[in-house]
Amino acid sequence: MVNRKGVFIGAYVPRDLKETLQRRAASEHRTLSQEITRILSEAVHGKQLPPGMVDRRTPGSGPRRRTSDPPERRRSNDLPADAPADGSGGEG
C-alpha cells in the first residue's frame, strides 16, 4: 500500500455528485482525491493563483489602470481610471 502524507476523511457523497467530481477531475487531468483536496483548500484558504503567478499588489492598492491610458483603450463599462479600489465609485 502507498504511504500517504494526508489523512482520510470519510463522508457520504451522493453518486451523481461523485460522478460529476470524477468528470471534472478527469478534464483537469487530476485524480478524484486531488480534485476534492483542491476544492477543500479553496473553501478554507480562498482561491489561489495558478502556480508561477505572483500577486505583487497590496490589499489596499488601486486598480491596475494608469491614469494616462487613453479612453479609447478602455471598454465603455470600465471604471474610470481614477476610481477608488473598493469599487464604490464610477458608473452605476
Side-chain angles (χ1 to χ4, degrees):
M1 180 151 191
V2 177
N3 188 5
R4 305 219 185 250
K5 295 182 180 180
V7 61
F8 177 80
I9 298 176
Y12 171 77
V13 179
R15 184 180 310 261
D16 59 333
L17 180 57
K18 180 182 175 189
E19 291 169 356
T20 301
L21 285 171
Q22 282 178 319
R23 282 193 301 274
R24 184 195 287 182
S27 71
E28 302 281 333
H29 304 289
R30 287 192 280 261
T31 65
L32 179 59
S33 182
Q34 289 170 331
E35 182 68 10
I36 292 170
T37 301
R38 183 193 63 79
I39 291 169
L40 289 172
S41 294
E42 284 183 5
V44 172
H45 302 296
K47 193 159 178 99
Q48 301 294 316
L49 290 171
M53 297 292 293
V54 177
D55 189 5
R56 293 181 176 89
R57 299 175 64 200
T58 60
S61 68
R64 295 165 90 165
R65 181 159 322 284
R66 295 186 307 268
T67 305
S68 62
D69 277 353
E72 60 272 5
R73 285 192 53 202
R74 299 190 194 118
R75 294 182 295 270
S76 61
N77 60 349
D78 270 358
L79 290 173
D82 54 355
D86 62 2
S88 61
E91 302 165 12

Short mmCIF file of all heavy atoms in Angstrom, two decimals, residues 28-73:
data_model
loop_
_atom_site.label_atom_id
_atom_site.label_comp_id
_atom_site.label_asym_id
_atom_site.label_seq_id
_atom_site.Cartn_x
_atom_site.Cartn_y
_atom_site.Cartn_z
N GLU A 28 -9.47 18.01 -15.89
CA GLU A 28 -8.34 18.82 -15.43
C GLU A 28 -7.08 17.98 -15.24
O GLU A 28 -6.10 18.46 -14.68
CB GLU A 28 -8.70 19.49 -14.09
CG GLU A 28 -9.92 20.38 -14.14
CD GLU A 28 -9.62 21.73 -14.75
OE1 GLU A 28 -8.46 22.17 -14.66
OE2 GLU A 28 -10.55 22.34 -15.31
N HIS A 29 -7.13 16.71 -15.65
CA HIS A 29 -6.00 15.78 -15.53
C HIS A 29 -5.57 15.61 -14.07
O HIS A 29 -4.39 15.63 -13.74
CB HIS A 29 -4.81 16.23 -16.38
CG HIS A 29 -5.16 16.41 -17.81
ND1 HIS A 29 -5.43 15.35 -18.65
CD2 HIS A 29 -5.33 17.53 -18.56
CE1 HIS A 29 -5.74 15.80 -19.85
NE2 HIS A 29 -5.69 17.12 -19.82
N ARG A 30 -6.57 15.46 -13.20
CA ARG A 30 -6.31 15.22 -11.78
C ARG A 30 -7.05 13.97 -11.35
O ARG A 30 -7.98 13.52 -12.02
CB ARG A 30 -6.83 16.39 -10.92
CG ARG A 30 -6.02 17.64 -11.02
CD ARG A 30 -6.41 18.62 -9.94
NE ARG A 30 -7.62 19.35 -10.28
CZ ARG A 30 -7.62 20.58 -10.78
NH1 ARG A 30 -6.50 21.21 -11.00
NH2 ARG A 30 -8.75 21.18 -11.04
N THR A 31 -6.65 13.42 -10.20
CA THR A 31 -7.40 12.31 -9.62
C THR A 31 -8.56 12.88 -8.83
O THR A 31 -8.60 14.08 -8.52
CB THR A 31 -6.50 11.48 -8.68
OG1 THR A 31 -6.12 12.30 -7.57
CG2 THR A 31 -5.27 10.95 -9.40
N LEU A 32 -9.50 12.03 -8.49
CA LEU A 32 -10.63 12.46 -7.69
C LEU A 32 -10.15 13.02 -6.35
O LEU A 32 -10.63 14.05 -5.87
CB LEU A 32 -11.61 11.30 -7.47
CG LEU A 32 -12.84 11.59 -6.62
CD1 LEU A 32 -13.67 12.71 -7.22
CD2 LEU A 32 -13.67 10.33 -6.46
N SER A 33 -9.18 12.36 -5.75
CA SER A 33 -8.62 12.81 -4.48
C SER A 33 -8.00 14.21 -4.62
O SER A 33 -8.19 15.08 -3.76
CB SER A 33 -7.57 11.82 -3.99
OG SER A 33 -7.05 12.22 -2.75
N GLN A 34 -7.26 14.44 -5.69
CA GLN A 34 -6.66 15.75 -5.91
C GLN A 34 -7.71 16.83 -6.11
O GLN A 34 -7.57 17.95 -5.63
CB GLN A 34 -5.73 15.71 -7.13
CG GLN A 34 -4.46 14.92 -6.90
CD GLN A 34 -3.69 14.70 -8.18
OE1 GLN A 34 -4.26 14.63 -9.27
NE2 GLN A 34 -2.37 14.57 -8.06
N GLU A 35 -8.79 16.50 -6.81
CA GLU A 35 -9.86 17.46 -7.05
C GLU A 35 -10.56 17.83 -5.75
O GLU A 35 -10.83 18.99 -5.48
CB GLU A 35 -10.85 16.90 -8.06
CG GLU A 35 -11.99 17.83 -8.43
CD GLU A 35 -11.55 19.05 -9.21
OE1 GLU A 35 -10.39 19.11 -9.66
OE2 GLU A 35 -12.38 19.96 -9.37
N ILE A 36 -10.85 16.82 -4.92
CA ILE A 36 -11.51 17.09 -3.63
C ILE A 36 -10.58 17.92 -2.74
O ILE A 36 -11.02 18.86 -2.08
CB ILE A 36 -11.92 15.78 -2.95
CG1 ILE A 36 -13.05 15.12 -3.77
CG2 ILE A 36 -12.35 16.01 -1.52
CD1 ILE A 36 -13.39 13.72 -3.35
N THR A 37 -9.29 17.60 -2.75
CA THR A 37 -8.32 18.38 -1.96
C THR A 37 -8.28 19.82 -2.43
O THR A 37 -8.24 20.76 -1.64
CB THR A 37 -6.92 17.74 -2.06
OG1 THR A 37 -7.00 16.40 -1.57
CG2 THR A 37 -5.90 18.51 -1.27
N ARG A 38 -8.30 20.04 -3.75
CA ARG A 38 -8.29 21.40 -4.29
C ARG A 38 -9.53 22.17 -3.86
O ARG A 38 -9.45 23.32 -3.42
CB ARG A 38 -8.22 21.36 -5.83
CG ARG A 38 -8.13 22.74 -6.47
CD ARG A 38 -8.38 22.68 -7.97
NE ARG A 38 -9.71 22.22 -8.31
CZ ARG A 38 -10.81 22.99 -8.25
NH1 ARG A 38 -10.73 24.23 -7.86
NH2 ARG A 38 -11.98 22.49 -8.58
N ILE A 39 -10.70 21.53 -3.94
CA ILE A 39 -11.95 22.18 -3.56
C ILE A 39 -11.94 22.54 -2.08
O ILE A 39 -12.32 23.65 -1.69
CB ILE A 39 -13.15 21.28 -3.92
CG1 ILE A 39 -13.29 21.20 -5.44
CG2 ILE A 39 -14.43 21.79 -3.28
CD1 ILE A 39 -14.26 20.13 -5.91
N LEU A 40 -11.49 21.60 -1.24
CA LEU A 40 -11.43 21.88 0.20
C LEU A 40 -10.43 22.99 0.51
O LEU A 40 -10.70 23.86 1.35
CB LEU A 40 -11.07 20.60 0.97
CG LEU A 40 -12.15 19.53 1.02
CD1 LEU A 40 -11.59 18.25 1.63
CD2 LEU A 40 -13.35 20.02 1.79
N SER A 41 -9.29 23.00 -0.17
CA SER A 41 -8.29 24.05 0.05
C SER A 41 -8.84 25.41 -0.32
O SER A 41 -8.65 26.39 0.40
CB SER A 41 -7.04 23.78 -0.78
OG SER A 41 -6.39 22.63 -0.34
N GLU A 42 -9.55 25.50 -1.46
CA GLU A 42 -10.14 26.77 -1.86
C GLU A 42 -11.22 27.21 -0.89
O GLU A 42 -11.37 28.40 -0.61
CB GLU A 42 -10.72 26.67 -3.27
CG GLU A 42 -9.67 26.70 -4.35
CD GLU A 42 -10.26 26.68 -5.74
OE1 GLU A 42 -11.51 26.74 -5.89
OE2 GLU A 42 -9.47 26.58 -6.70
N ALA A 43 -11.97 26.25 -0.35
CA ALA A 43 -13.03 26.59 0.60
C ALA A 43 -12.44 27.15 1.89
O ALA A 43 -13.00 28.07 2.50
CB ALA A 43 -13.89 25.37 0.88
N VAL A 44 -11.32 26.60 2.32
CA VAL A 44 -10.72 27.01 3.58
C VAL A 44 -9.83 28.24 3.41
O VAL A 44 -9.92 29.19 4.18
CB VAL A 44 -9.90 25.84 4.19
CG1 VAL A 44 -9.11 26.30 5.40
CG2 VAL A 44 -10.83 24.70 4.58
N HIS A 45 -8.98 28.23 2.39
CA HIS A 45 -7.97 29.28 2.24
C HIS A 45 -8.32 30.32 1.18
O HIS A 45 -7.60 31.31 1.05
CB HIS A 45 -6.62 28.66 1.85
CG HIS A 45 -6.12 27.66 2.83
ND1 HIS A 45 -5.78 27.98 4.13
CD2 HIS A 45 -5.92 26.32 2.73
CE1 HIS A 45 -5.38 26.89 4.76
NE2 HIS A 45 -5.47 25.86 3.93
N GLY A 46 -9.36 30.12 0.42
CA GLY A 46 -9.69 31.03 -0.66
C GLY A 46 -9.02 30.58 -1.94
O GLY A 46 -8.11 29.75 -1.94
N LYS A 47 -9.46 31.14 -3.04
CA LYS A 47 -8.93 30.74 -4.35
C LYS A 47 -7.49 31.22 -4.47
O LYS A 47 -7.17 32.36 -4.18
CB LYS A 47 -9.78 31.34 -5.45
CG LYS A 47 -9.50 30.76 -6.79
CD LYS A 47 -10.67 30.97 -7.72
CE LYS A 47 -10.35 30.42 -9.08
NZ LYS A 47 -10.91 29.13 -9.31
N GLN A 48 -6.62 30.33 -4.91
CA GLN A 48 -5.20 30.62 -5.05
C GLN A 48 -4.88 30.97 -6.50
O GLN A 48 -5.58 30.57 -7.42
CB GLN A 48 -4.37 29.40 -4.63
CG GLN A 48 -4.61 28.97 -3.21
CD GLN A 48 -4.13 29.99 -2.20
OE1 GLN A 48 -3.04 30.53 -2.34
NE2 GLN A 48 -4.93 30.27 -1.21
N LEU A 49 -3.79 31.70 -6.68
CA LEU A 49 -3.31 31.99 -8.02
C LEU A 49 -2.71 30.73 -8.63
O LEU A 49 -2.23 29.86 -7.90
CB LEU A 49 -2.24 33.08 -7.98
CG LEU A 49 -2.74 34.47 -7.62
CD1 LEU A 49 -1.55 35.40 -7.39
CD2 LEU A 49 -3.62 35.02 -8.71
N PRO A 50 -2.71 30.60 -9.94
CA PRO A 50 -2.09 29.44 -10.57
C PRO A 50 -0.59 29.38 -10.23
O PRO A 50 0.02 30.41 -9.94
CB PRO A 50 -2.27 29.69 -12.07
CG PRO A 50 -3.34 30.70 -12.18
CD PRO A 50 -3.34 31.48 -10.90
N PRO A 51 0.00 28.20 -10.25
CA PRO A 51 1.43 28.09 -9.94
C PRO A 51 2.26 28.99 -10.86
O PRO A 51 1.99 29.10 -12.04
CB PRO A 51 1.75 26.62 -10.21
CG PRO A 51 0.44 25.92 -10.17
CD PRO A 51 -0.60 26.93 -10.56
N GLY A 52 3.25 29.64 -10.29
CA GLY A 52 4.10 30.53 -11.07
C GLY A 52 3.62 31.96 -11.14
O GLY A 52 4.35 32.85 -11.54
N MET A 53 2.39 32.21 -10.74
CA MET A 53 1.85 33.57 -10.74
C MET A 53 2.14 34.22 -9.40
O MET A 53 1.98 33.60 -8.36
CB MET A 53 0.33 33.55 -10.98
CG MET A 53 -0.07 33.00 -12.32
SD MET A 53 0.40 34.04 -13.70
CE MET A 53 -0.63 35.45 -13.43
N VAL A 54 2.54 35.47 -9.42
CA VAL A 54 2.84 36.20 -8.21
C VAL A 54 1.99 37.45 -8.19
O VAL A 54 2.01 38.23 -9.14
CB VAL A 54 4.34 36.57 -8.14
CG1 VAL A 54 4.64 37.39 -6.91
CG2 VAL A 54 5.20 35.33 -8.20
N ASP A 55 1.25 37.65 -7.12
CA ASP A 55 0.44 38.85 -6.98
C ASP A 55 1.22 39.85 -6.16
O ASP A 55 1.41 39.67 -4.96
CB ASP A 55 -0.90 38.52 -6.30
CG ASP A 55 -1.86 39.71 -6.33
OD1 ASP A 55 -1.52 40.75 -6.95
OD2 ASP A 55 -2.94 39.60 -5.73
N ARG A 56 1.70 40.89 -6.80
CA ARG A 56 2.53 41.88 -6.11
C ARG A 56 1.70 43.05 -5.58
O ARG A 56 2.24 43.98 -5.00
CB ARG A 56 3.61 42.40 -7.06
CG ARG A 56 4.61 41.32 -7.42
CD ARG A 56 5.69 41.87 -8.34
NE ARG A 56 6.70 40.86 -8.62
CZ ARG A 56 6.62 39.99 -9.61
NH1 ARG A 56 5.59 40.01 -10.42
NH2 ARG A 56 7.57 39.10 -9.80
N ARG A 57 0.43 43.03 -5.80
CA ARG A 57 -0.42 44.13 -5.34
C ARG A 57 -0.69 44.00 -3.86
O ARG A 57 -0.86 42.91 -3.34
CB ARG A 57 -1.73 44.12 -6.12
CG ARG A 57 -1.51 44.32 -7.60
CD ARG A 57 -2.78 44.19 -8.38
NE ARG A 57 -3.69 45.24 -7.97
CZ ARG A 57 -5.00 45.18 -8.16
NH1 ARG A 57 -5.53 44.16 -8.74
NH2 ARG A 57 -5.77 46.16 -7.77
N THR A 58 -0.77 45.12 -3.20
CA THR A 58 -1.12 45.13 -1.78
C THR A 58 -2.63 45.15 -1.66
O THR A 58 -3.33 45.56 -2.60
CB THR A 58 -0.52 46.36 -1.07
OG1 THR A 58 -1.04 47.54 -1.69
CG2 THR A 58 0.99 46.36 -1.16
N PRO A 59 -3.18 44.73 -0.52
CA PRO A 59 -4.64 44.69 -0.38
C PRO A 59 -5.32 46.05 -0.62
O PRO A 59 -6.43 46.10 -1.11
CB PRO A 59 -4.85 44.23 1.05
CG PRO A 59 -3.60 43.49 1.40
CD PRO A 59 -2.50 44.16 0.64
N GLY A 60 -4.65 47.16 -0.30
CA GLY A 60 -5.27 48.47 -0.48
C GLY A 60 -4.94 49.16 -1.77
O GLY A 60 -5.30 50.32 -1.98
N SER A 61 -4.25 48.47 -2.69
CA SER A 61 -3.83 49.13 -3.92
C SER A 61 -5.02 49.36 -4.84
O SER A 61 -6.01 48.63 -4.82
CB SER A 61 -2.77 48.30 -4.64
OG SER A 61 -3.31 47.10 -5.11
N GLY A 62 -4.90 50.37 -5.68
CA GLY A 62 -5.96 50.72 -6.60
C GLY A 62 -5.97 49.83 -7.82
O GLY A 62 -5.21 48.86 -7.90
N PRO A 63 -6.83 50.13 -8.78
CA PRO A 63 -6.87 49.34 -10.00
C PRO A 63 -5.55 49.45 -10.75
O PRO A 63 -4.80 50.40 -10.56
CB PRO A 63 -8.02 49.95 -10.79
CG PRO A 63 -8.29 51.25 -10.18
CD PRO A 63 -7.78 51.22 -8.78
N ARG A 64 -5.28 48.50 -11.60
CA ARG A 64 -4.01 48.47 -12.30
C ARG A 64 -3.99 49.38 -13.53
O ARG A 64 -3.05 49.41 -14.28
CB ARG A 64 -3.68 47.03 -12.69
CG ARG A 64 -3.46 46.17 -11.46
CD ARG A 64 -3.51 44.73 -11.78
NE ARG A 64 -2.18 44.23 -12.11
CZ ARG A 64 -1.89 42.96 -12.17
NH1 ARG A 64 -2.80 42.06 -11.92
NH2 ARG A 64 -0.68 42.57 -12.48
N ARG A 65 -5.04 50.12 -13.74
CA ARG A 65 -5.13 51.03 -14.88
C ARG A 65 -4.37 52.31 -14.59
O ARG A 65 -4.47 52.88 -13.52
CB ARG A 65 -6.60 51.35 -15.16
CG ARG A 65 -6.75 52.25 -16.33
CD ARG A 65 -8.11 52.24 -16.97
NE ARG A 65 -8.81 50.98 -17.06
CZ ARG A 65 -8.53 50.01 -17.94
NH1 ARG A 65 -7.53 50.13 -18.76
NH2 ARG A 65 -9.24 48.94 -17.96
N ARG A 66 -3.59 52.76 -15.55
CA ARG A 66 -2.88 54.03 -15.41
C ARG A 66 -3.81 55.17 -15.75
O ARG A 66 -4.66 55.07 -16.63
CB ARG A 66 -1.67 54.06 -16.34
CG ARG A 66 -0.62 53.05 -16.00
CD ARG A 66 0.61 53.25 -16.87
NE ARG A 66 0.31 53.29 -18.29
CZ ARG A 66 0.33 52.22 -19.08
NH1 ARG A 66 0.63 51.05 -18.60
NH2 ARG A 66 0.05 52.33 -20.36
N THR A 67 -3.62 56.30 -15.07
CA THR A 67 -4.41 57.49 -15.37
C THR A 67 -4.11 57.97 -16.78
O THR A 67 -4.95 58.57 -17.44
CB THR A 67 -4.07 58.60 -14.36
OG1 THR A 67 -4.28 58.07 -13.06
CG2 THR A 67 -4.96 59.80 -14.53
N SER A 68 -2.92 57.66 -17.28
CA SER A 68 -2.52 58.14 -18.60
C SER A 68 -3.09 57.31 -19.75
O SER A 68 -2.90 57.66 -20.90
CB SER A 68 -0.99 58.15 -18.69
OG SER A 68 -0.49 56.84 -18.54
N ASP A 69 -3.76 56.19 -19.44
CA ASP A 69 -4.34 55.37 -20.52
C ASP A 69 -5.40 56.18 -21.27
O ASP A 69 -6.29 56.75 -20.66
CB ASP A 69 -5.00 54.11 -19.97
CG ASP A 69 -4.01 52.99 -19.73
OD1 ASP A 69 -2.84 53.15 -20.12
OD2 ASP A 69 -4.41 51.97 -19.16
N PRO A 70 -5.31 56.24 -22.58
CA PRO A 70 -6.32 56.98 -23.33
C PRO A 70 -7.68 56.28 -23.22
O PRO A 70 -7.76 55.06 -23.13
CB PRO A 70 -5.79 56.94 -24.77
CG PRO A 70 -4.83 55.81 -24.80
CD PRO A 70 -4.30 55.63 -23.42
N PRO A 71 -8.76 57.05 -23.21
CA PRO A 71 -10.11 56.47 -23.05
C PRO A 71 -10.47 55.44 -24.12
O PRO A 71 -11.19 54.51 -23.86
CB PRO A 71 -11.04 57.68 -23.14
CG PRO A 71 -10.18 58.87 -22.98
CD PRO A 71 -8.78 58.49 -23.32
N GLU A 72 -9.94 55.60 -25.33
CA GLU A 72 -10.29 54.66 -26.39
C GLU A 72 -9.73 53.27 -26.15
O GLU A 72 -10.15 52.31 -26.77
CB GLU A 72 -9.86 55.18 -27.77
CG GLU A 72 -8.38 55.42 -27.94
CD GLU A 72 -7.95 56.81 -27.51
OE1 GLU A 72 -8.78 57.57 -26.99
OE2 GLU A 72 -6.77 57.15 -27.71
N ARG A 73 -8.77 53.13 -25.21
CA ARG A 73 -8.25 51.80 -24.89
C ARG A 73 -9.12 51.10 -23.86
O ARG A 73 -8.90 49.96 -23.54
CB ARG A 73 -6.82 51.92 -24.34
CG ARG A 73 -5.83 52.22 -25.43
CD ARG A 73 -4.41 52.07 -24.97
NE ARG A 73 -4.18 50.78 -24.37
CZ ARG A 73 -3.19 50.53 -23.52
NH1 ARG A 73 -2.36 51.47 -23.17
NH2 ARG A 73 -3.02 49.35 -23.01
#
